[in-house]
Amino acid sequence: MNEIPALDIPEDTRYWFIRANSQAQYYGDFQLNNYIAIDSNGLPLQELTHIPTTIRASTDALEDRYKSIFQEHDLQKFNKRNKDNKDSSNYKLEQTKELRKSTNRAHKAYHFIEDFGIGDFVIVPYKSSTKFLIGVIVSDCFEHAIDHINLLDEDDEPVYDISNFQFKRRVLWIKELPRKKFPDKLSWIKTAHQSIFEITDYANDVTPVICPFYRYKGRVYTRLGVNTTNKISSSSWLRYQLLLSSIAEDNLDNIYQKQKVQSPGDIILFVEQNLWWILPLVIGSLFGETTFAHGPFTTKWQGIIRYFSKGERLKRSLSVENEKLKTQNSRAALNNKNADTLAKLNEINPDSKQIKEASDQLAKSIQLEIARRSSVNNQRIEEGFSEEMQKENITPPTKVDTNDVEKTLNDFKLSNENPGSLLPYETQEGNLNSDLDESEQQEDSKR
């Protein structure tokens, strides 16, 4: 039975957008050293984490307290810096600007400390939003210094700017996504002025480019990449829809679609979670990979942090290779057994014409039996656990035209790739260490 690793996103997961300072100054620092950070202007973290619970009972009161704490702290620093300029004409103007900056710091810190959570997704844009880092938060907020990877250019100068921001959170980076793969519905982000804002309302636009198969709020989703740069004709669309109908058959009404295929784009398919198995059926029928012809499926739903951890990434990679090896080994074992049988038969040296004729007849019958067993064996390898499928009242599609599949794949340049550049866990684990272990334990305790 095939087990499909699938990303299980808790309903309270939030999605955040955070800048790496002006002009993405600290983008490289955040990526190489596995963290995100914001400026606190020297305010100690404990002044915010030790706010009384009576105030924390109200989000409005808590955010107001953040604002008052920052303003008091920032004004003290401002007055100390400008104690000799209090009588100048610009003093009040500069003080007003400082209060405005302080309010912005308080707003960002409130989100960063109180709203950000372990297991939340975070997106960091590069200069002019030409690419985006996507990761998952794996630690609470902290302010202690971290070690930075020391990279120097030919002139022994640092190749990236190191952030001096005090409030930090560790991040396990998942991938780097080019702008052309970033969801169109979020194009407004490129011109947004805020340093931090929430984009959870766009979760089902963002998640398909993070993971190709996932469950979220009672539904299961998968993504088809449309990579053609040509116009898609009405006849191609009709062929695709008829092909989907022939695959899903009676379950066609249970498949929903969101399409953005302005050359290139994607098609998002989703179903209610109890009908999750329809999606592997569609993907397998189109791409010849995970299909019901290889047996019934079970899913292994995994939390966000565990799904993107080193061990689970490695398991998924090995699983694909193991399935290929199993098929190859099964066929090789049969071929070896048949070769041994024929070799032994060829060693017979009959003493009479009758024995030779009988031997030849036996050889032919054995060869026919070998061919029959090979055909049956190959069929079993391809069909898998058909009896279990019948028990679960699941049948593979019987009306799929392979020519229609090929034409549709060519017309749309369809793929089920995971877009963007995956960032290897091995290059990050030295920075994460216990933070990742603790966050996995917290995640497991919630499930």
Side-chain angles (χ1 to χ4, degrees):
M1 182 175 292
N2 294 325
E3 185 176 73
I4 303 172
L7 176 60
D8 191 12
I9 303 175
E11 292 192 9
D12 60 354
T13 300
R14 301 172 78 171
Y15 294 65
W16 298 97
F17 187 90
I18 180 170
R19 298 190 184 280
N21 207 22
S22 177
Q23 297 296 310
Q25 180 182 5
Y26 302 133
Y27 184 95
D29 184 22
F30 287 1
Q31 177 179 0
L32 289 170
N33 298 293
N34 291 93
Y35 79 111
I36 52 176
I38 61 170
D39 180 29
S40 72
N41 198 25
L43 178 70
L45 180 60
Q46 65 177 5
E47 290 198 27
L48 301 171
T49 57
H50 289 174
I51 295 174
T53 55
T54 52
I55 295 177
R56 289 183 172 278
S58 167
T59 55
D60 290 339
L62 180 58
E63 191 163 8
D64 284 343
R65 177 56 67 93
Y66 265 70
K67 181 178 177 180
S68 64
I69 290 174
F70 265 95
Q71 286 187 345
E72 181 181 353
H73 172 268
D74 293 345
L75 277 179
Q76 285 180 355
K77 294 191 68 172
F78 173 82
N79 291 331
K80 187 176 181 179
R81 289 196 310 269
N82 296 275
K83 62 182 180 180
D84 298 330
N85 300 318
K86 287 186 178 182
D87 297 329
S88 68
S89 58
N90 291 329
Y91 181 81
K92 286 293 184 182
L93 179 61
E94 293 301 320
Q95 188 182 60
T96 300
K97 289 182 180 179
E98 184 63 27
L99 284 175
R100 188 159 50 245
K101 291 179 182 178
S102 181
T103 299
N104 289 334
R105 288 191 193 102
H107 180 71
K108 288 188 289 186
Y110 177 80
H111 282 312
F112 196 81
I113 298 171
E114 304 294 340
D115 289 338
F116 279 35
I118 293 175
D120 284 357
F121 288 110
V122 62
I123 298 175
V124 179
Y126 190 60
K127 296 176 184 178
S128 302
S129 297
T130 54
K131 58 183 177 180
F132 302 84
L133 271 177
I134 302 178
V136 56
I137 298 170
V138 297
S139 84
D140 290 321
C141 182
F142 63 92
E143 59 183 343
H144 62 76
I146 65 172
D147 293 330
H148 294 263
I149 296 174
N150 186 27
L151 293 180
L152 303 176
D153 60 19
E154 296 177 353
D155 299 322
D156 289 333
E157 295 293 330
V159 298
Y160 66 90
D161 290 335
I162 294 178
S163 166
N164 60 353
F165 293 165
Q166 297 89 356
F167 292 168
K168 312 173 189 71
R169 281 182 180 267
R170 285 293 188 185
V171 175
L172 169 62
W173 297 117
I174 300 168
K175 63 171 56 178
E176 194 170 46
L177 194 71
R179 180 165 58 188
K180 64 181 180 180
K181 294 292 185 179
F182 199 69
D184 276 355
K185 282 191 176 181
L186 285 163
S187 59
W188 56 268
I189 279 178
K190 303 167 192 173
T191 56
H193 297 296
Q194 303 99 309
S195 297
I196 291 179
F197 48 90
E198 185 174 1
I199 55 173
T200 304
D201 289 344
Y202 297 88
N204 281 323
D205 298 294
V206 175
T207 313
V209 298
I210 298 176
C211 177
F213 188 58
Y214 68 96
R215 178 170 63 185
Y216 181 57
K217 292 188 176 181
R219 288 177 172 173
V220 180
Y221 298 78
T222 195
R223 175 186 182 274
L224 298 176
V226 179
N227 299 296
T228 182
T229 56
N230 299 322
K231 295 179 180 178
I232 301 175
S233 68
S234 297
S235 61
S236 295
W237 270 114
L238 178 60
R239 185 183 300 113
Y240 161 74
Q241 297 294 350
L242 291 174
L243 180 58
L244 192 63
S245 175
S246 66
I247 295 171
E249 297 179 333
D250 294 339
N251 287 295
L252 183 63
D253 287 342
N254 296 316
I255 300 179
Y256 304 93
Q257 301 183 65
K258 292 194 300 180
Q259 301 165 350
K260 180 265 169 182
V261 290
Q262 284 77 23
S263 303
D266 54 35
I267 299 172
I268 308 300
L269 304 177
F270 61 97
V271 297
E272 299 301 321
Q273 63 181 10
N274 62 309
L275 298 173
W276 65 268
W277 51 267
I278 297 175
L279 297 184
L281 179 62
V282 172
I283 296 299
S285 297
L286 290 174
F287 300 104
E289 296 176 359
T290 311
T291 74
F292 277 100
H294 290 86
F297 295 96
T298 60
T299 48
K300 181 180 179 182
W301 297 104
Q302 297 174 324
I304 297 170
I305 296 171
R306 185 171 298 281
Y307 182 90
F308 292 110
S309 67
K310 175 183 179 181
E312 294 302 329
R313 290 189 191 189
L314 182 59
K315 285 180 185 177
R316 290 195 292 275
S317 176
L318 290 176
S319 177
V320 173
E321 296 303 319
N322 286 340
E323 288 302 317
K324 293 179 181 178
L325 286 175
K326 283 181 183 178
T327 301
Q328 293 172 359
N329 290 340
S330 296
R331 289 172 174 161
L334 178 64
N335 290 335
N336 290 337
K337 183 175 180 181
N338 295 337
D340 290 342
T341 302
L342 284 174
K344 291 178 180 178
L345 184 64
N346 290 332
E347 291 175 358
I348 298 176
N349 185 20
D351 294 331
S352 66
K353 181 179 180 181
Q354 291 81 3
I355 294 177
K356 187 177 186 306
E357 290 175 352
S359 176
D360 290 342
Q361 187 175 358
L362 179 61
K364 290 179 181 179
S365 65
I366 290 176
Q367 288 175 329
L368 289 174
E369 177 61 16
I370 288 174
R372 186 193 69 79
R373 282 193 288 122
S374 179
S375 176
V376 170
N377 186 70
N378 289 340
Q379 184 177 357
R380 285 175 178 171
I381 291 173
E382 295 299 325
E383 292 181 354
F385 307 97
S386 58
E387 292 182 3
E388 294 184 38
M389 292 171 62
Q390 292 173 6
K391 289 178 184 177
E392 299 190 26
N393 197 29
I394 298 173
T395 56
T398 56
K399 302 176 183 177
V400 179
D401 189 318
T402 55
N403 289 328
D404 285 343
V405 172
E406 185 175 355
K407 288 178 181 177
T408 299
L409 293 178
N410 288 333
D411 289 347
F412 287 77
K413 293 294 186 290
L414 277 183
S415 68
N416 63 336
E417 88 284 2
N418 196 346
S421 303
L422 295 177
L423 301 177
Y425 180 96
E426 292 76 10
T427 63
Q428 305 181 62
E429 61 182 324
N431 295 327
L432 297 171
N433 295 327
S434 60
D435 288 318
L436 189 59
D437 295 335
E438 291 176 7
S439 57
E440 280 193 32
Q441 292 172 9
Q442 290 185 33
E443 185 180 59
D444 290 342
S445 66
K446 295 178 182 178
R447 293 175 60 80

